[in-house]
Amino acid sequence: MELGLEAARITVLPGEAFYISDFITEAEEDWLLRKVTSAPLPRWTQLSHRRLQTWPSALTQSNTLLASPLPDWLQSPIIERFSELGIFDDAPHQAPNHVLVNEYQPGQGIMPHEDGAAYYPLVATVSLRAPIVFDVYDKHVQGDKDESGQDVAGKPDADRKPHYRILQERRSLLITRGKMYTDVLHGIAETTRDEDLGPHSICNWELLRDKETYRQGWYERETRTSLTYRDVLHVAKMGNTLKFLGGK
Ligand SMILES: O=C(O)CCC(=O)C(=O)O
């Protein structure tokens, strides 16, 4: 992955993050959005601040994926391009096996969180339809101590300020891996307008496709869809699944 991606590295971030502003074409974006929106309604899980599709299926309670291929439209062209760049070469299955499709209306977002141990520490996110600012937070809040005076991980809260902000344009790819997966929290503010944009605050500013659009320092949120690709570590094959469900 290193050679092809080096020019896309977001160098100010503490861990590894890469941003490719024109990862898919406009025609591919249209086609992907048609696939997302034509999925049957039961495919969507309505959450309080966004809605979500989970492909090929939700993980079991023990964070296991029941083996099943991703649909073709989530594989080609995106996973082919990941292979060309070697993005998942070091992951246990050498390719993503799980995709979350998130849709955010203006005013919606996702609280600071981490993605946890079910996945190999690598996320590749393709953004569709509209830009959004992705916030990165320290896990520790300054001043959080336990009784012995040691720093402890702080609880995320709504007033917390992001340490870094990444602007994701439509049709872009954001890759976060390693310490950017394990050592920080990420989230998306619940706002109708992303503000204070510029080289001073957006850590991938130099990698943007269209800086001019954001030069005024703000934009109004529109509906934005993301495809987040991951490798689930534990996969149960069908035979094992039947045993797991009590079959012989
Ligand atoms: O929609 C996004 O870009 C981020 C989603 C996210 O934070 C997650 O799936 O953990």
Side-chain angles (χ1 to χ4, degrees):
M1 129 145 152
E2 309 308 331
L3 279 179
L5 275 187
E6 205 40 52
R9 189 185 284 272
I10 308 177
T11 49
V12 301
L13 289 172
E16 290 169 290
F18 303 85
Y19 179 78
I20 298 177
S21 64
D22 55 355
F23 185 67
I24 57 167
T25 65
E26 286 177 23
E28 288 164 346
E29 180 192 39
D30 281 352
W31 177 76
L32 284 163
L33 281 167
R34 275 203 300 277
K35 293 291 184 188
V36 169
T37 50
S38 63
L41 209 55
R43 263 282 164 198
W44 288 104
T45 306
Q46 184 64 56
L47 304 170
S48 52
H49 298 279
R50 67 198 150 96
R51 62 176 186 156
L52 173 74
Q53 290 178 18
T54 307
W55 295 93
S57 60
L59 306 188
T60 68
Q61 283 188 346
S62 58
N63 278 341
T64 299
L65 176 69
L66 306 183
S68 173
L70 288 165
D72 288 347
W73 62 273
L74 285 171
Q75 296 200 38
S76 174
I78 291 177
I79 295 185
E80 289 160 7
R81 270 176 218 158
F82 290 169
S83 307
E84 283 160 24
L85 289 165
I87 292 171
F88 280 84
D89 280 3
D90 297 336
H93 303 99
Q94 281 88 48
N97 54 18
H98 198 251
V99 181
L100 296 178
V101 178
N102 277 298
E103 186 189 83
Y104 306 85
Q105 301 296 333
Q108 296 188 323
I110 185 166
M111 288 288 283
H113 66 284
E114 56 190 321
D115 289 348
Y119 307 101
Y120 180 72
L122 164 65
V123 185
T125 304
V126 178
S127 287
L128 307 176
R129 205 154 153 185
I132 215 155
V133 173
F134 178 90
D135 294 322
V136 178
Y137 298 82
D138 284 342
K139 260 195 200 175
H140 295 253
V141 171
Q142 216 177 2
D144 280 355
K145 308 265 186 215
D146 66 15
E147 298 92 286
S148 65
Q150 296 291 310
D151 280 335
V152 293
K155 293 222 165 33
D157 65 67
D159 301 331
R160 213 154 156 187
K161 293 267 175 289
H163 212 78
Y164 298 99
R165 300 168 77 213
I166 301 172
L167 178 49
Q168 292 176 268
E169 296 164 288
R170 63 189 296 176
R171 305 195 284 105
S172 69
L173 173 69
L174 175 68
I175 301 162
T176 50
R177 67 174 192 185
K179 288 190 170 160
M180 275 296 289
Y181 186 98
T182 51
D183 290 11
V184 297
L185 305 178
H186 60 271
I188 291 172
E190 290 175 358
T191 181
T192 55
R193 198 175 149 108
D194 281 312
E195 298 180 321
D196 189 28
L197 308 176
H200 61 286
S201 66
I202 296 296
C203 63
N204 60 326
W205 185 261
E206 290 312 319
L207 296 168
L208 294 179
R209 179 175 69 232
D210 183 15
K211 297 188 191 71
E212 273 318 304
T213 299
Y214 309 106
R215 200 71 74 189
Q216 62 185 355
W218 58 271
Y219 65 85
E220 298 285 348
R221 285 263 187 97
E222 291 169 56
T223 304
R224 180 257 185 178
T225 303
S226 65
L227 313 178
T228 51
Y229 285 78
R230 298 180 179 84
D231 186 2
V232 178
L233 299 175
H234 297 127
V235 179
K237 297 257 159 51
M238 211 43 179
N240 296 338
T241 310
L242 289 177
K243 254 188 264 157
F244 180 70
L245 295 173
K248 299 271 173 214

